[in-house]
Amino acid sequence: MHVHFVAVAGTGMGALAGLFKAAGHEVSGSDVSFYPPMGPALERWGIRLMTGFDPAHLDPRPDLVVIGNVCRPTNPEARAAIDGGMRVTTMAHALADHMLAGRSPLVVAGTHGKTTTSSMCAWLLHEAGRDPGFLIGGLPKNFDASFRLPQHAPSAGERGGGRRGLPLLQADPPEAGGARRRTPFVVEGDEYDTAFFEKTPKFWHYQPEVGVVTSIEHDHIDIYPDADAYEAAFRGFVERIPETGLVVAAAHDPRVVDVVSRSARAEVAWFALEGDDTHGMPPHWLAAPAEASDSGQSFDLYAGGVMAGRFALQMPGHHNVRNAAAAIAAAAQGFGVPLSTATAALARFEGVRRRQDLLFEARGVRVYDDFAHHPTAVDETLRALRSRHPDGALWAVFEPRSATACRALHQEPYARAFGAADRVVLAPLGRPDIAAGERLDLDRLVRDLERADKRAEAAASVDVIVATLAREAKEGDTIALLSNGAFGGIYEKLRDALSTRPR
């Protein structure tokens, strides 16, 4: 089958194109440009690439056209496919219809922690020999791509369904902890809309048998104008998990507790950290963090009130302990992965690129890259880096880039999000076209941070930021570059500036 992707260079669309190619299909794709890392990756995977959007890219006529959700109704190539009566679909439906059918989807949803938790789930299932497929919106360092096709074709003969109990605490057999399911397929479940011609959340279409809800905090204001609309998307996700399935849910988040307790038809496994307010929901999976160190974070895990052992992570931060507890619950209670296997696997989990990712160290200055852009994620990331590097100044260099980050919705939360940092440098807004009355006020944010005894500044450009860091960052300092985009090429500019500055 010839499958053509319109707007193929996005993280999710590109990975899905790679999946189709791995499944043996002829795959082509178009986009405005093919910058690294996705452009070279698509070429490496054997995707035939076409620059720009042009109806001529649909000749010869593809068997299936997948239209990305970044496309607008006026996109000439998408318009030609639809008006020409071609077989048209979306990323969510293409994944569900062609990759998830006959498999057991494990879908990770939530405002925060989706990428890391999905990657952990895939790694735990892989290490347990379950041959998982996956599609993740980031690159897990333990794998060579953000997607994987299971080695075995879907089989209707494998049994699905069945109730699940907590797993045995020793080296339990594969079927322990519930019915043996079909080959698992891990999906990072995005709540963003499906396409311009189908305004439904993408994660509604993945037919999860096991679903994880890590957190719910109003985001994507361009799609969801208020918190009620945003939470409604998650209610629909939870409602779609069948009675024979499993919901793994964060008991510390009051919005998750409300949505899941009202909407779930399936069995619910709550997870939490020791000391959390669990809002009346006794956690089935309770993690007690120990002290963080340069080597990462350890924690004790209790399963059903029984001590299940000490686990170790290479990444610091209580938020990563939450991610780990959710992944263990999904893998163990959802698919019978032995806890002994999970213990060894987590210790070898290397994390995800752009999640507390140490890029380099130059002249004694450590530089990390992180995708954090929501205030909660910024706060968690900075606190985790501070716990790993308690000495030296911690610089937070933040680019407000997303539709939500550039708006005033989180003006006050941002003033609290940089509490762990010593120095804060704010880049220009990534979306300057937002109306002044709706825009995040960077000058006000600087004033609020200074009132909280932070040294803060709003820089005029990336080059000004690089010059400031090269001039003022000292040996032993840590710099966190926080952006959900390319940040104007700051990474290589900063590496060069720090490496060549006088000692």
Side-chain angles (χ1 to χ4, degrees), residues 200-255:
T200 56
K202 286 194 287 186
F203 64 11
W204 279 13
H205 306 292
Y206 298 144
Q207 303 165 3
E209 293 182 3
V210 177
V212 179
V213 185
T214 64
S215 54
I216 300 176
E217 189 173 2
H218 188 202
D219 200 2
H220 302 311
I221 192 172
D222 52 328
I223 301 296
Y224 302 104
D226 53 44
D228 288 343
Y230 188 71
E231 291 176 18
F234 285 88
R235 284 196 296 273
F237 170 73
V238 173
E239 289 169 352
R240 283 166 169 78
I241 301 172
E243 293 178 2
T244 55
L246 176 71
V247 181
V248 177
H252 77 285
D253 188 321
R255 292 167 293 269

CSV table of all heavy atoms in Angstrom, one decimal, residues 200-255:
chain,number,residue,atom,x,y,z
A,200,THR,N,-11.9,16.3,17.5
A,200,THR,CA,-12.0,15.4,18.6
A,200,THR,C,-10.6,15.1,19.1
A,200,THR,O,-9.6,15.1,18.3
A,200,THR,CB,-12.7,14.1,18.3
A,200,THR,OG1,-12.0,13.4,17.2
A,200,THR,CG2,-14.1,14.3,17.9
A,201,PRO,N,-10.4,14.9,20.4
A,201,PRO,CA,-9.0,14.6,20.9
A,201,PRO,C,-8.5,13.3,20.3
A,201,PRO,O,-9.2,12.3,20.2
A,201,PRO,CB,-9.3,14.4,22.4
A,201,PRO,CG,-10.6,15.1,22.7
A,201,PRO,CD,-11.4,14.9,21.5
A,202,LYS,N,-7.2,13.4,20.0
A,202,LYS,CA,-6.6,12.2,19.3
A,202,LYS,C,-6.6,11.0,20.2
A,202,LYS,O,-6.8,9.9,19.7
A,202,LYS,CB,-5.1,12.5,19.0
A,202,LYS,CG,-4.9,13.5,17.8
A,202,LYS,CD,-3.5,13.5,17.3
A,202,LYS,CE,-2.6,14.3,18.2
A,202,LYS,NZ,-1.2,14.4,17.7
A,203,PHE,N,-6.5,11.1,21.5
A,203,PHE,CA,-6.4,9.9,22.4
A,203,PHE,C,-7.8,9.2,22.5
A,203,PHE,O,-7.9,8.2,23.1
A,203,PHE,CB,-5.7,10.2,23.7
A,203,PHE,CG,-6.4,11.2,24.6
A,203,PHE,CD1,-7.7,11.7,24.5
A,203,PHE,CD2,-5.7,11.6,25.8
A,203,PHE,CE1,-8.3,12.5,25.4
A,203,PHE,CE2,-6.3,12.5,26.7
A,203,PHE,CZ,-7.5,13.0,26.5
A,204,TRP,N,-8.8,9.8,22.0
A,204,TRP,CA,-10.1,9.1,22.0
A,204,TRP,C,-10.2,7.9,21.1
A,204,TRP,O,-11.0,7.1,21.2
A,204,TRP,CB,-11.3,10.1,21.6
A,204,TRP,CG,-11.7,11.0,22.7
A,204,TRP,CD1,-11.1,11.2,24.0
A,204,TRP,CD2,-12.9,11.8,22.7
A,204,TRP,NE1,-11.8,12.1,24.7
A,204,TRP,CE2,-12.9,12.5,23.9
A,204,TRP,CE3,-13.9,12.1,21.8
A,204,TRP,CZ2,-13.9,13.4,24.3
A,204,TRP,CZ3,-14.9,13.0,22.1
A,204,TRP,CH2,-14.9,13.6,23.3
A,205,HIS,N,-9.3,7.9,20.1
A,205,HIS,CA,-9.4,6.9,19.0
A,205,HIS,C,-8.4,5.7,19.2
A,205,HIS,O,-8.4,4.8,18.3
A,205,HIS,CB,-9.1,7.6,17.7
A,205,HIS,CG,-9.9,8.8,17.5
A,205,HIS,ND1,-11.3,8.7,17.3
A,205,HIS,CD2,-9.6,10.1,17.5
A,205,HIS,CE1,-11.8,10.0,17.1
A,205,HIS,NE2,-10.8,10.8,17.3
A,206,TYR,N,-7.7,5.6,20.3
A,206,TYR,CA,-6.7,4.5,20.4
A,206,TYR,C,-7.2,3.2,21.1
A,206,TYR,O,-6.4,2.3,21.2
A,206,TYR,CB,-5.5,5.1,21.1
A,206,TYR,CG,-4.8,6.2,20.4
A,206,TYR,CD1,-4.2,7.3,21.1
A,206,TYR,CD2,-4.8,6.3,19.0
A,206,TYR,CE1,-3.6,8.3,20.5
A,206,TYR,CE2,-4.1,7.3,18.4
A,206,TYR,CZ,-3.6,8.4,19.1
A,206,TYR,OH,-3.0,9.4,18.4
A,207,GLN,N,-8.4,3.2,21.5
A,207,GLN,CA,-9.1,2.0,22.0
A,207,GLN,C,-8.2,1.3,23.1
A,207,GLN,O,-7.9,0.2,23.0
A,207,GLN,CB,-9.3,1.0,20.9
A,207,GLN,CG,-10.2,1.6,19.8
A,207,GLN,CD,-10.2,0.8,18.5
A,207,GLN,OE1,-9.6,-0.3,18.4
A,207,GLN,NE2,-10.9,1.3,17.5
A,208,PRO,N,-7.8,2.1,24.2
A,208,PRO,CA,-6.9,1.5,25.2
A,208,PRO,C,-7.6,0.4,26.0
A,208,PRO,O,-8.8,0.4,26.3
A,208,PRO,CB,-6.7,2.7,26.1
A,208,PRO,CG,-7.9,3.6,25.9
A,208,PRO,CD,-8.3,3.5,24.5
A,209,GLU,N,-6.8,-0.7,26.2
A,209,GLU,CA,-7.2,-1.7,27.2
A,209,GLU,C,-6.6,-1.3,28.5
A,209,GLU,O,-7.2,-1.7,29.6
A,209,GLU,CB,-6.7,-3.0,26.7
A,209,GLU,CG,-7.4,-3.5,25.4
A,209,GLU,CD,-7.0,-4.9,25.0
A,209,GLU,OE1,-6.2,-5.5,25.6
A,209,GLU,OE2,-7.5,-5.3,23.9
A,210,VAL,N,-5.5,-0.7,28.5
A,210,VAL,CA,-4.9,-0.1,29.8
A,210,VAL,C,-4.6,1.3,29.5
A,210,VAL,O,-4.0,1.7,28.5
A,210,VAL,CB,-3.6,-0.8,30.1
A,210,VAL,CG1,-2.9,-0.2,31.4
A,210,VAL,CG2,-3.8,-2.3,30.4
A,211,GLY,N,-5.2,2.2,30.4
A,211,GLY,CA,-5.0,3.6,30.2
A,211,GLY,C,-4.4,4.2,31.5
A,211,GLY,O,-4.7,3.8,32.6
A,212,VAL,N,-3.4,5.1,31.3
A,212,VAL,CA,-2.8,5.8,32.4
A,212,VAL,C,-3.2,7.3,32.4
A,212,VAL,O,-3.1,7.9,31.3
A,212,VAL,CB,-1.3,5.7,32.3
A,212,VAL,CG1,-0.6,6.5,33.5
A,212,VAL,CG2,-0.8,4.2,32.3
A,213,VAL,N,-3.5,7.9,33.5
A,213,VAL,CA,-3.8,9.3,33.6
A,213,VAL,C,-2.8,9.9,34.6
A,213,VAL,O,-3.0,9.7,35.8
A,213,VAL,CB,-5.3,9.6,34.0
A,213,VAL,CG1,-5.5,11.1,33.9
A,213,VAL,CG2,-6.2,8.9,33.0
A,214,THR,N,-1.8,10.6,34.2
A,214,THR,CA,-0.8,11.1,35.1
A,214,THR,C,-1.1,12.4,35.8
A,214,THR,O,-0.7,12.6,36.9
A,214,THR,CB,0.5,11.3,34.3
A,214,THR,OG1,0.3,12.4,33.3
A,214,THR,CG2,1.0,10.1,33.5
A,215,SER,N,-1.9,13.2,35.1
A,215,SER,CA,-2.2,14.6,35.7
A,215,SER,C,-3.2,15.2,34.7
A,215,SER,O,-3.3,14.9,33.6
A,215,SER,CB,-1.0,15.4,35.7
A,215,SER,OG,-0.3,15.4,34.5
A,216,ILE,N,-4.0,16.2,35.3
A,216,ILE,CA,-4.9,17.0,34.5
A,216,ILE,C,-4.7,18.5,34.9
A,216,ILE,O,-5.1,18.8,36.1
A,216,ILE,CB,-6.3,16.6,34.6
A,216,ILE,CG1,-6.5,15.1,34.1
A,216,ILE,CG2,-7.2,17.5,33.8
A,216,ILE,CD1,-7.9,14.6,34.3
A,217,GLU,N,-4.2,19.3,34.1
A,217,GLU,CA,-4.1,20.8,34.4
A,217,GLU,C,-4.3,21.5,33.1
A,217,GLU,O,-3.6,21.3,32.1
A,217,GLU,CB,-2.7,21.0,35.0
A,217,GLU,CG,-2.5,22.4,35.6
A,217,GLU,CD,-1.2,22.6,36.3
A,217,GLU,OE1,-0.4,21.6,36.4
A,217,GLU,OE2,-1.0,23.7,36.8
A,218,HIS,N,-5.2,22.5,33.1
A,218,HIS,CA,-5.6,23.2,31.9
A,218,HIS,C,-4.4,23.5,31.0
A,218,HIS,O,-3.5,24.2,31.4
A,218,HIS,CB,-6.4,24.4,32.3
A,218,HIS,CG,-7.1,25.1,31.1
A,218,HIS,ND1,-7.4,26.4,31.1
A,218,HIS,CD2,-7.4,24.6,29.9
A,218,HIS,CE1,-8.0,26.7,29.9
A,218,HIS,NE2,-8.0,25.6,29.2
A,219,ASP,N,-4.5,23.1,29.7
A,219,ASP,CA,-3.4,23.4,28.8
A,219,ASP,C,-4.1,23.4,27.4
A,219,ASP,O,-5.3,23.2,27.2
A,219,ASP,CB,-2.4,22.2,28.8
A,219,ASP,CG,-1.1,22.6,28.2
A,219,ASP,OD1,-0.9,23.8,27.8
A,219,ASP,OD2,-0.2,21.7,28.1
A,220,HIS,N,-3.3,23.8,26.4
A,220,HIS,CA,-3.8,23.9,25.0
A,220,HIS,C,-5.0,24.8,24.9
A,220,HIS,O,-6.0,24.5,24.4
A,220,HIS,CB,-4.1,22.5,24.4
A,220,HIS,CG,-3.0,21.5,24.4
A,220,HIS,ND1,-1.8,21.8,24.0
A,220,HIS,CD2,-3.0,20.2,24.9
A,220,HIS,CE1,-1.0,20.7,24.1
A,220,HIS,NE2,-1.7,19.8,24.7
A,221,ILE,N,-4.7,26.0,25.3
A,221,ILE,CA,-5.8,27.0,25.4
A,221,ILE,C,-6.4,27.3,24.0
A,221,ILE,O,-7.5,27.8,23.8
A,221,ILE,CB,-5.4,28.3,26.1
A,221,ILE,CG1,-6.6,29.2,26.5
A,221,ILE,CG2,-4.3,29.0,25.3
A,221,ILE,CD1,-6.2,30.3,27.3
A,222,ASP,N,-5.6,27.1,22.9
A,222,ASP,CA,-6.0,27.3,21.6
A,222,ASP,C,-7.1,26.3,21.2
A,222,ASP,O,-7.9,26.5,20.2
A,222,ASP,CB,-4.9,27.3,20.6
A,222,ASP,CG,-4.0,26.0,20.7
A,222,ASP,OD1,-3.9,25.5,21.9
A,222,ASP,OD2,-3.5,25.6,19.7
A,223,ILE,N,-7.2,25.2,21.9
A,223,ILE,CA,-8.2,24.1,21.6
A,223,ILE,C,-9.2,24.1,22.7
A,223,ILE,O,-10.4,23.9,22.4
A,223,ILE,CB,-7.5,22.7,21.5
A,223,ILE,CG1,-6.4,22.8,20.4
A,223,ILE,CG2,-8.5,21.6,21.2
A,223,ILE,CD1,-7.0,23.0,19.0
A,224,TYR,N,-8.8,24.2,23.9
A,224,TYR,CA,-9.7,24.1,25.0
A,224,TYR,C,-9.8,25.5,25.7
A,224,TYR,O,-8.9,25.9,26.5
A,224,TYR,CB,-9.3,23.1,26.0
A,224,TYR,CG,-9.1,21.7,25.4
A,224,TYR,CD1,-7.9,21.2,25.1
A,224,TYR,CD2,-10.3,20.9,25.1
A,224,TYR,CE1,-7.8,19.9,24.5
A,224,TYR,CE2,-10.1,19.7,24.5
A,224,TYR,CZ,-8.9,19.2,24.2
A,224,TYR,OH,-8.8,18.0,23.6
A,225,PRO,N,-10.9,26.3,25.5
A,225,PRO,CA,-10.9,27.6,26.1
A,225,PRO,C,-11.0,27.7,27.6
A,225,PRO,O,-10.6,28.7,28.1
A,225,PRO,CB,-12.2,28.2,25.4
A,225,PRO,CG,-13.0,27.0,25.1
A,225,PRO,CD,-12.1,25.9,24.7
A,226,ASP,N,-11.5,26.6,28.2
A,226,ASP,CA,-11.5,26.7,29.7
A,226,ASP,C,-11.2,25.3,30.3
A,226,ASP,O,-11.1,24.3,29.5
A,226,ASP,CB,-12.9,27.2,30.2
A,226,ASP,CG,-14.1,26.4,29.6
A,226,ASP,OD1,-14.0,25.2,29.5
A,226,ASP,OD2,-15.0,27.1,29.1
A,227,ALA,N,-11.1,25.2,31.6
A,227,ALA,CA,-10.8,24.0,32.3
A,227,ALA,C,-11.8,22.9,32.1
A,227,ALA,O,-11.5,21.7,32.0
A,227,ALA,CB,-10.5,24.2,33.7
A,228,ASP,N,-13.1,23.3,32.0
A,228,ASP,CA,-14.2,22.3,31.8
A,228,ASP,C,-14.0,21.6,30.5
A,228,ASP,O,-14.2,20.4,30.4
A,228,ASP,CB,-15.5,23.0,32.0
A,228,ASP,CG,-15.9,23.4,33.4
A,228,ASP,OD1,-15.2,22.9,34.3
A,228,ASP,OD2,-16.8,24.2,33.6
A,229,ALA,N,-13.7,22.3,29.5
A,229,ALA,CA,-13.6,21.7,28.1
A,229,ALA,C,-12.4,20.8,28.1
A,229,ALA,O,-12.5,19.7,27.5
A,229,ALA,CB,-13.4,22.8,27.1
A,230,TYR,N,-11.3,21.2,28.8
A,230,TYR,CA,-10.1,20.3,28.8
A,230,TYR,C,-10.4,19.0,29.6
A,230,TYR,O,-10.1,18.0,29.2
A,230,TYR,CB,-9.0,21.1,29.5
A,230,TYR,CG,-7.7,20.5,29.5
A,230,TYR,CD1,-6.9,20.4,28.3
A,230,TYR,CD2,-7.1,20.0,30.6
A,230,TYR,CE1,-5.7,19.8,28.2
A,230,TYR,CE2,-5.8,19.4,30.6
A,230,TYR,CZ,-5.1,19.3,29.4
A,230,TYR,OH,-3.9,18.7,29.4
A,231,GLU,N,-11.0,19.2,30.7
A,231,GLU,CA,-11.4,18.0,31.5
A,231,GLU,C,-12.3,17.0,30.8
A,231,GLU,O,-12.3,15.8,31.0
A,231,GLU,CB,-11.9,18.4,32.9
A,231,GLU,CG,-10.8,19.0,33.8
A,231,GLU,CD,-11.3,19.5,35.1
A,231,GLU,OE1,-12.4,19.1,35.5
A,231,GLU,OE2,-10.6,20.3,35.8
A,232,ALA,N,-13.2,17.6,30.0
A,232,ALA,CA,-14.2,16.8,29.3
A,232,ALA,C,-13.4,15.8,28.3
A,232,ALA,O,-13.9,14.7,28.1
A,232,ALA,CB,-15.2,17.7,28.5
A,233,ALA,N,-12.3,16.3,27.8
A,233,ALA,CA,-11.5,15.4,26.9
A,233,ALA,C,-11.0,14.2,27.7
A,233,ALA,O,-11.1,13.1,27.1
A,233,ALA,CB,-10.4,16.2,26.3
A,234,PHE,N,-10.6,14.4,28.9
A,234,PHE,CA,-10.1,13.3,29.7
A,234,PHE,C,-11.2,12.4,30.2
A,234,PHE,O,-11.1,11.2,30.3
A,234,PHE,CB,-9.3,13.8,30.9
A,234,PHE,CG,-7.9,14.3,30.5
A,234,PHE,CD1,-7.7,15.6,30.1
A,234,PHE,CD2,-6.8,13.4,30.5
A,234,PHE,CE1,-6.5,16.0,29.7
A,234,PHE,CE2,-5.6,13.9,30.1
A,234,PHE,CZ,-5.4,15.2,29.7
A,235,ARG,N,-12.4,13.0,30.4
A,235,ARG,CA,-13.5,12.1,30.8
A,235,ARG,C,-13.9,11.2,29.6
A,235,ARG,O,-14.1,10.0,29.8
A,235,ARG,CB,-14.8,13.0,31.1
A,235,ARG,CG,-14.7,13.6,32.5
A,235,ARG,CD,-16.0,14.1,32.9
A,235,ARG,NE,-16.5,15.2,32.1
A,235,ARG,CZ,-16.3,16.5,32.2
A,235,ARG,NH1,-15.5,16.9,33.2
A,235,ARG,NH2,-16.7,17.4,31.4
A,236,GLY,N,-13.8,11.7,28.4
A,236,GLY,CA,-14.1,10.9,27.2
A,236,GLY,C,-13.0,9.8,27.1
A,236,GLY,O,-13.4,8.7,26.7
A,237,PHE,N,-11.8,10.1,27.4
A,237,PHE,CA,-10.7,9.1,27.3
A,237,PHE,C,-11.0,8.0,28.3
A,237,PHE,O,-10.9,6.8,27.9
A,237,PHE,CB,-9.4,9.8,27.6
A,237,PHE,CG,-8.2,8.8,27.8
A,237,PHE,CD1,-7.7,8.1,26.7
A,237,PHE,CD2,-7.7,8.5,29.0
A,237,PHE,CE1,-6.7,7.2,26.8
A,237,PHE,CE2,-6.6,7.7,29.2
A,237,PHE,CZ,-6.1,7.0,28.1
A,238,VAL,N,-11.3,8.3,29.5
A,238,VAL,CA,-11.5,7.3,30.6
A,238,VAL,C,-12.7,6.5,30.3
A,238,VAL,O,-12.7,5.2,30.5
A,238,VAL,CB,-11.6,8.0,32.0
A,238,VAL,CG1,-12.0,7.0,33.0
A,238,VAL,CG2,-10.2,8.6,32.3
A,239,GLU,N,-13.8,7.1,29.8
A,239,GLU,CA,-15.0,6.4,29.5
A,239,GLU,C,-14.8,5.3,28.4
A,239,GLU,O,-15.5,4.3,28.3
A,239,GLU,CB,-16.1,7.4,29.0
A,239,GLU,CG,-16.6,8.2,30.1
A,239,GLU,CD,-17.5,9.4,29.6
A,239,GLU,OE1,-17.5,9.6,28.4
A,239,GLU,OE2,-18.1,10.1,30.5
A,240,ARG,N,-13.8,5.5,27.6
A,240,ARG,CA,-13.6,4.6,26.4
A,240,ARG,C,-12.7,3.4,26.8
A,240,ARG,O,-12.6,2.5,26.0
A,240,ARG,CB,-12.9,5.4,25.3
A,240,ARG,CG,-13.9,6.3,24.5
A,240,ARG,CD,-13.1,7.3,23.6
A,240,ARG,NE,-14.1,8.0,22.7
A,240,ARG,CZ,-14.9,8.9,23.1
A,240,ARG,NH1,-14.9,9.4,24.3
A,240,ARG,NH2,-15.7,9.4,22.2
A,241,ILE,N,-12.2,3.3,28.0
A,241,ILE,CA,-11.5,2.1,28.5
A,241,ILE,C,-12.6,1.1,28.9
A,241,ILE,O,-13.4,1.4,29.8
A,241,ILE,CB,-10.6,2.5,29.6
A,241,ILE,CG1,-9.6,3.5,29.1
A,241,ILE,CG2,-9.9,1.2,30.1
A,241,ILE,CD1,-8.7,4.1,30.3
A,242,PRO,N,-12.6,-0.1,28.3
A,242,PRO,CA,-13.7,-1.0,28.6
A,242,PRO,C,-13.7,-1.6,30.0
A,242,PRO,O,-12.7,-1.5,30.8
A,242,PRO,CB,-13.5,-2.1,27.6
A,242,PRO,CG,-12.0,-2.1,27.3
A,242,PRO,CD,-11.6,-0.6,27.4
A,243,GLU,N,-14.8,-2.2,30.4
A,243,GLU,CA,-14.9,-2.8,31.8
A,243,GLU,C,-13.9,-3.8,32.1
A,243,GLU,O,-13.5,-4.0,33.2
A,243,GLU,CB,-16.3,-3.4,31.9
A,243,GLU,CG,-17.4,-2.4,31.9
A,243,GLU,CD,-18.8,-3.0,32.1
A,243,GLU,OE1,-18.9,-4.3,32.2
A,243,GLU,OE2,-19.8,-2.3,32.0
A,244,THR,N,-13.4,-4.5,31.0
A,244,THR,CA,-12.4,-5.5,31.2
A,244,THR,C,-11.0,-4.9,31.3
A,244,THR,O,-10.0,-5.6,31.4
A,244,THR,CB,-12.4,-6.5,30.1
A,244,THR,OG1,-12.3,-5.8,28.8
A,244,THR,CG2,-13.7,-7.3,30.1
A,245,GLY,N,-10.8,-3.6,31.1
A,245,GLY,CA,-9.6,-2.9,31.1
A,245,GLY,C,-9.1,-2.5,32.4
A,245,GLY,O,-9.5,-2.9,33.5
A,246,LEU,N,-8.1,-1.6,32.4
A,246,LEU,CA,-7.5,-1.1,33.6
A,246,LEU,C,-7.2,0.4,33.5
A,246,LEU,O,-6.6,0.8,32.4
A,246,LEU,CB,-6.2,-1.8,34.0
A,246,LEU,CG,-5.4,-1.4,35.2
A,246,LEU,CD1,-6.1,-1.7,36.5
A,246,LEU,CD2,-4.0,-2.0,35.2
A,247,VAL,N,-7.5,1.2,34.5
A,247,VAL,CA,-7.2,2.6,34.5
A,247,VAL,C,-6.1,2.8,35.6
A,247,VAL,O,-6.4,2.4,36.8
A,247,VAL,CB,-8.4,3.5,34.8
A,247,VAL,CG1,-7.9,5.0,34.8
A,247,VAL,CG2,-9.5,3.3,33.8
A,248,VAL,N,-5.0,3.3,35.3
A,248,VAL,CA,-3.9,3.7,36.3
A,248,VAL,C,-4.0,5.2,36.5
A,248,VAL,O,-3.8,5.9,35.5
A,248,VAL,CB,-2.6,3.2,35.8
A,248,VAL,CG1,-1.5,3.6,36.8
A,248,VAL,CG2,-2.5,1.7,35.6
A,249,ALA,N,-4.3,5.6,37.7
A,249,ALA,CA,-4.6,7.1,37.9
A,249,ALA,C,-3.9,7.7,39.1
A,249,ALA,O,-3.7,7.0,40.1
A,249,ALA,CB,-6.1,7.2,38.0
A,250,ALA,N,-3.5,8.9,38.9
A,250,ALA,CA,-2.8,9.7,39.9
A,250,ALA,C,-3.7,10.1,41.0
A,250,ALA,O,-4.6,11.0,40.8
A,250,ALA,CB,-2.1,10.9,39.3
A,251,ALA,N,-3.5,9.6,42.2
A,251,ALA,CA,-4.4,9.9,43.4
A,251,ALA,C,-4.1,11.2,44.0
A,251,ALA,O,-5.0,11.8,44.7
A,251,ALA,CB,-4.3,8.8,44.4
A,252,HIS,N,-2.9,11.8,43.7
A,252,HIS,CA,-2.6,13.1,44.3
A,252,HIS,C,-3.2,14.3,43.6
A,252,HIS,O,-3.3,15.4,44.1
A,252,HIS,CB,-1.1,13.3,44.3
A,252,HIS,CG,-0.5,13.7,43.0
A,252,HIS,ND1,-0.4,12.8,42.0
A,252,HIS,CD2,-0.1,14.9,42.5
A,252,HIS,CE1,0.1,13.4,40.9
A,252,HIS,NE2,0.3,14.6,41.2
A,253,ASP,N,-3.7,14.1,42.4
A,253,ASP,CA,-4.3,15.1,41.5
A,253,ASP,C,-5.8,15.2,41.7
A,253,ASP,O,-6.5,14.2,41.3
A,253,ASP,CB,-3.9,14.9,40.1
A,253,ASP,CG,-4.2,16.1,39.2
A,253,ASP,OD1,-5.3,16.7,39.4
A,253,ASP,OD2,-3.4,16.3,38.3
A,254,PRO,N,-6.3,16.2,42.3
A,254,PRO,CA,-7.8,16.2,42.5
A,254,PRO,C,-8.6,16.2,41.3
A,254,PRO,O,-9.7,15.6,41.2
A,254,PRO,CB,-8.0,17.5,43.3
A,254,PRO,CG,-6.8,18.4,43.0
A,254,PRO,CD,-5.7,17.4,42.8
A,255,ARG,N,-8.1,16.8,40.2
A,255,ARG,CA,-8.8,16.7,38.9
A,255,ARG,C,-8.8,15.3,38.3
A,255,ARG,O,-9.8,14.9,37.8
A,255,ARG,CB,-8.2,17.7,37.9
A,255,ARG,CG,-8.4,19.2,38.3
A,255,ARG,CD,-7.5,20.1,37.5
A,255,ARG,NE,-6.1,19.9,37.9
A,255,ARG,CZ,-5.4,20.5,38.8
A,255,ARG,NH1,-6.1,21.4,39.5
A,255,ARG,NH2,-4.2,20.3,39.0
